[in-house]
């Protein structure tokens, strides 16, 4: 008996919920059909406030042409970008935020439109192993934001995100340099005449030069990789280039020691230096290679 009553109450609760949903859908349908643009505009704002971002975006999108040139036009375009951002449709959000600050360069929402355009691009940045064009576009957009809004209170937040994205680009370069290094003496690689160690050095040093504000961890990883590659490049060189390349390795060690005196790689770096110095001072062949990766 009690079980039957509970089932009946559950059924009635579900029925009420269905009626409410149907009423809600009917109300939204009526809004879409209404010719009262102010009413539809207020409904779109109410949907946004209640967290119905996709429905709000649909309404704001339909209102753009009708409200253009009115007192609601500017806000409706910005709110369309906001609705898409909250709905996680980042591609559409970027498009409408850019359209806003291009149409209203001195508009009430210009600062947030520029910031949110960069943020929506940032949210689309892919895994570091994939193409990073969108990451570079996001950095460019945020830099444009700082140029147009130099006094923004969001400056620190933007800098932090830019550094994060730059580290993403640096890490991709590190993976490329590491791949060259791991290929080592494998000769079926046409880059740099088939010399993978030379390719590793160039890739690592270009990354260090192109991204001077990369995190210390990434700069340290790139620097030790360049030092290792120079050492192995010297070891495999013909006699005519061997001494010059071992001297270059020693110079690289001093630069590494100067930049990272407390490095976790210091023992390995010192072993590389000792071995290179033995060759340059003609004290014999390298002997301390156990810790060199």
């Amino acid at each position: 008996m009690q079980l039957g009553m509970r089932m009946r109450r559950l059924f009635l609760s579900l029925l009420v919920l269905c009626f409410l949903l149907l009423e809600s859908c009917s109300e939204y349908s009526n809004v879409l059909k209404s010719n009262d643009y102010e009413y539809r505009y207020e409904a779109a704002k109410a949907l946004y406030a209640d967290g119905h971002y996709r429905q709000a975006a649909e309404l704001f999108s339909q209102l753009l042409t009708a409200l253009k040139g009115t007192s609601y036009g500017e806000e409706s375009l910005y709110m369309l970008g906001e609705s898409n951002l909250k709905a996680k449709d980042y591609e559409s959000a970027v498009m409408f935020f850019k359209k806003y600050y291009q149409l209203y360069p001195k508009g009430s929402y210009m600062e947030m439109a520029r910031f949110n355009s960069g943020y929506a691009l940032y949210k689309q940045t892919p895994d570091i192993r994939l193409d990073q064009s969108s990451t570079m576009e996001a950095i460019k957009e945020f830099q444009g934001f700082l140029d147009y809004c130099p006094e923004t209170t969001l400056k620190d937040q933007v800098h932090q995100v830019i550094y994060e994205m730059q580290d993403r680009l640096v890490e991709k370069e590190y993976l490329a340099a590491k791949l060259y290094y791991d290929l080592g003496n494998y000769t079926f690689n046409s880059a740099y005449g088939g010399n993978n160690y030379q390719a590793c050095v160039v890739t690592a040093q270009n990354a260090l030069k192109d991204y001077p504000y990369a995190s210390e961890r990434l700069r340290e990883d790139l620097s030790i990789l360049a030092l290792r590659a120079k050492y192995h490049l010297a070891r495999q060189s013909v006699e005519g280039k061997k001494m010059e390349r071992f001297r270059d390795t020693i110079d690289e060690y001093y630069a590494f020691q100067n930049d990272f005196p407390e490095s976790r790689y210091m023992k390995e770096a010192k072993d590389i230096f000792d071995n290179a110095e033995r060759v340059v001072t003609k004290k014999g062949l390298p002997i301390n290679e156990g810790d060199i990766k």
Side-chain angles (χ1 to χ4, degrees):
M1 183 72 176
Q2 290 182 349
L3 179 61
M5 289 294 293
R6 284 199 294 268
M7 291 297 293
R8 177 178 170 79
R9 287 174 182 172
L10 177 60
F11 174 76
L12 289 174
S13 297
L14 290 173
L15 188 60
V16 169
L17 178 60
C18 288
F19 280 135
L20 289 174
L21 287 173
L22 287 172
E23 184 180 359
S24 175
C25 292
S26 177
E27 179 66 22
Y28 180 64
S29 179
N30 290 335
V31 171
L32 290 175
K33 295 175 184 177
S34 174
N35 291 322
D36 186 337
Y37 294 118
E38 187 172 349
Y39 166 63
R40 291 169 68 185
Y41 174 72
E42 293 300 329
K45 290 176 68 175
L47 285 167
Y48 176 87
D50 287 341
H52 302 294
Y53 303 120
R54 294 191 184 280
Q55 290 178 321
E58 183 180 5
L59 270 178
F60 281 125
S61 179
Q62 292 179 1
L63 290 168
L64 280 186
T65 302
L67 296 179
K68 187 176 181 180
T70 72
S71 57
Y72 302 110
E74 178 184 342
E75 186 179 39
S76 63
L77 179 55
Y78 175 75
M79 290 302 297
L80 177 55
E82 280 279 3
S83 298
N84 280 293
L85 180 64
K86 293 291 180 64
K88 298 183 179 180
D89 182 355
Y90 299 120
E91 188 174 347
S92 295
V94 172
M95 178 176 67
F96 290 117
F97 284 131
K98 284 187 174 182
K99 186 175 181 179
Y100 174 88
Y101 68 67
Q102 288 165 356
L103 286 175
Y104 304 100
K106 297 183 183 298
S108 303
Y109 305 100
M110 183 274 293
E111 180 176 337
M112 287 309 301
R114 285 188 173 275
F115 173 82
N116 284 331
S117 176
Y119 180 73
L121 284 166
Y122 162 71
K123 295 295 287 185
Q124 297 179 77
T125 53
D127 183 275
I128 59 170
R129 292 165 293 185
L130 303 177
D131 178 74
Q132 294 297 307
S133 298
S134 59
T135 303
M136 291 185 281
E137 187 180 356
I139 291 173
K140 182 179 178 182
E141 190 73 8
F142 271 128
Q143 288 173 335
F145 166 74
L146 292 175
D147 289 341
Y148 278 90
C149 309
E151 303 303 321
T152 179
T153 58
L154 298 168
K155 185 181 297 183
D156 290 342
Q157 183 178 343
V158 170
H159 280 144
Q160 183 178 351
V161 175
I162 289 176
Y163 293 150
E164 178 189 330
M165 288 189 289
Q166 284 183 337
D167 273 0
R168 184 189 296 268
L169 298 178
V170 176
E171 193 160 357
K172 184 174 178 64
E173 292 302 305
Y174 170 78
L175 291 177
K178 184 67 163 55
L179 178 60
Y180 281 127
Y181 184 81
D182 290 341
L183 287 170
N185 292 321
Y186 181 64
T187 57
F188 195 66
N189 174 40
S190 60
Y192 299 92
N195 195 309
N196 294 303
Y197 290 125
Q198 184 66 29
C200 172
V201 170
V202 171
T203 304
Q205 291 185 334
N206 282 344
L208 288 166
K209 180 178 65 176
D210 293 342
Y211 302 101
Y213 300 110
S215 68
E216 184 171 352
R217 176 187 64 81
L218 283 170
R219 292 183 60 79
E220 184 181 2
D221 288 345
L222 283 164
S223 296
I224 191 62
L225 198 58
L227 177 58
R228 291 170 185 159
K230 284 192 174 185
Y231 172 70
H232 288 297
L233 180 63
R235 287 183 69 238
Q236 71 174 23
S237 295
V238 297
E239 289 301 321
K241 294 184 177 180
K242 191 179 291 288
M243 295 297 285
E244 176 189 350
R245 285 177 171 171
F246 271 117
R247 290 191 183 95
D248 190 27
T249 301
I250 290 172
D251 289 342
E252 189 72 24
Y253 164 76
Y254 283 125
F256 181 84
Q257 182 188 50
N258 183 65
D259 290 339
F260 309 101
E262 304 297 326
S263 173
R264 62 191 187 280
Y265 301 118
M266 190 52 70
K267 184 181 184 306
E268 179 189 354
K270 186 63 166 58
D271 285 343
I272 290 174
F273 168 76
D274 289 342
N275 286 335
E277 191 176 45
R278 283 179 63 82
V279 175
V280 170
T281 58
K282 300 181 180 179
K283 290 182 179 179
L285 296 175
I287 56 173
N288 301 320
E289 296 193 323
D291 293 325
I292 298 173
K293 295 182 179 180

